[in-house]
Amino acid sequence: MENQGDKLDDKLDLVTLAQELENVLKLRTPPFGIKMFETVEAMQAIPKLRRPTAIHTTDQIVAQAARLGWTVGITADDLVGDQCRAVIGLAKQDETWRAGTPMAGVWYATKDDAAAHQSAMHCVPHGRYAAMVVSPVRSKRLDPPDIVLFYATPGAMIYFINGLQWSGYKRFDWSVVGESACADSWGRALATRQPSLSLPCFAERRYGGVLDDEMLMAIAPEDLKKALEGMRALSGNGLRYPFAQYGIQQDVRAGLGVSYGEAAGKKPVAP
């Protein structure tokens, strides 16, 4: 994995884009970023950095940025175990880790099931990074982050995905590993730089404060710009978020006719 965020176009104003995203999708919490560091010294140079005084899960560290607006830096020693550390490349994904023994009988019926789960996870390769910082995008302290993340409802997420697919259409196939779903979001996005959607897991909801109706998207910063351009185009076509309810018993042709004209069985009418 390369720290591609450092190569981001200098003209990309992430703060403005994040504010636009927050407004368009009516987000409860502002977008935040994650950046990996090769040395602890580089992490410690981040302005107004907070360091944990207790042992946490990565979910809690992420929540402190998303819910409290903090800029928090961690090393492997700040995390509760190798399950959290390995996803962000701060622990070896060795045979012991891949066995997943602690999860057998807890989340998975057998040792084989637990091992299969570990093999299914997306993780940052171990060996390059020594630290991670999470911070709200609006703080500009990561300048730029490796990835941008945000929590949103399913309705907001599909509209964001529609924006990503507006030009250069691509089908998205996302994974669901179950518990340790951070591997589906920040683990996958950091490792592949591909848009990564997840259903947050039990640990994220219990320890990270994620609400029942929230999903998590992790993307490279340049994909945020692409999605917003797409959502602006959709809005110009009358396709906007939040979705205006049409009515489950109404004749649908008038509504569809606004977008599709005679193809919907009726000539367009004014929106």
Side-chain angles (χ1 to χ4, degrees), residues 1 36 76 82 85-94 97-98 122-131 191:
M1 169 193 160
M36 303 301 301
D82 283 346
R85 297 173 186 138
V87 173
I88 54 175
L90 299 185
K92 295 179 179 179
Q93 296 112 37
D94 57 16
W97 181 85
R98 290 198 301 272
H122 285 279
C123 298
V124 176
H126 176 255
R128 177 173 179 181
Y129 298 109

Side-chain angles (χ1 to χ4, degrees), residues 70-91:
W70 294 356
T71 299
V72 187
I74 59 166
T75 67
D77 291 340
D78 298 309
L79 297 176
V80 69
D82 283 346
Q83 192 70 1
C84 282
R85 297 173 186 138
V87 173
I88 54 175
L90 299 185

Side-chain angles (χ1 to χ4, degrees), residues 172-234:
F172 292 110
D173 293 292
W174 285 303
S175 60
V176 180
V177 299
E179 187 56 23
S180 308
C182 57
D184 294 325
S185 54
W186 57 75
R188 183 177 184 273
L190 285 168
T192 69
R193 294 194 61 78
Q194 295 299 310
S196 299
L197 179 69
S198 76
L199 294 168
C201 63
F202 180 92
E204 289 176 84
R205 297 180 192 278
R206 177 169 171 81
Y207 301 108
V210 180
L211 302 180
D212 263 3
D213 62 347
E214 288 183 322
M215 304 177 76
L216 178 58
M217 177 67 77
I219 53 172
E222 56 268 26
D223 283 327
L224 176 57
K225 179 181 180 182
K226 173 179 170 61
L228 283 165
E229 289 171 347
M231 287 187 283
R232 291 185 207 116
L234 294 172

Side-chain angles (χ1 to χ4, degrees), residues 33-217:
I34 289 178
K35 192 177 184 77
M36 303 301 301
F37 291 86
E38 295 184 3
T39 67
V40 174
E41 291 74 20
M43 173 195 72
Q44 292 173 332
I46 297 297
K48 298 185 178 180
L49 183 77
R50 293 174 183 257
R51 294 282 285 116
T53 57
I55 300 299
H56 293 302
T57 65
T58 318
D59 313 314
Q60 291 175 295
I61 300 301
V62 166
Q64 289 171 17
R67 314 286 171 177
L68 303 178
W70 294 356
T71 299
V72 187
I74 59 166
T75 67
D77 291 340
D78 298 309
L79 297 176
V80 69
D82 283 346
Q83 192 70 1
C84 282
R85 297 173 186 138
V87 173
I88 54 175
L90 299 185
K92 295 179 179 179
Q93 296 112 37
D94 57 16
E95 289 185 8
T96 299
W97 181 85
R98 290 198 301 272
T101 302
M103 288 194 159
V106 179
W107 284 105
Y108 307 104
T110 68
K111 291 181 179 180
D112 287 344
D113 293 323
H117 166 265
Q118 299 297 91
S119 296
M121 293 172 60
H122 285 279
C123 298
V124 176
H126 176 255
R128 177 173 179 181
Y129 298 109
M132 180 189 82
V133 174
V134 187
S135 181
V137 172
R138 63 175 59 162
S139 75
K140 300 175 70 173
R141 291 175 189 149
L142 297 185
D143 196 32
D146 294 329
I147 57 172
V148 173
L149 305 93
F150 63 93
Y151 291 100
T153 63
M157 281 300 184
I158 190 58
Y159 191 65
F160 180 85
I161 293 164
N162 293 151
L164 277 175
Q165 293 173 323
W166 166 254
S167 64
Y169 176 85
K170 177 183 177 181
R171 168 180 162 170
F172 292 110
D173 293 292
W174 285 303
S175 60
V176 180
V177 299
E179 187 56 23
S180 308
C182 57
D184 294 325
S185 54
W186 57 75
R188 183 177 184 273
L190 285 168
T192 69
R193 294 194 61 78
Q194 295 299 310
S196 299
L197 179 69
S198 76
L199 294 168
C201 63
F202 180 92
E204 289 176 84
R205 297 180 192 278
R206 177 169 171 81
Y207 301 108
V210 180
L211 302 180
D212 263 3
D213 62 347
E214 288 183 322
M215 304 177 76
L216 178 58
M217 177 67 77

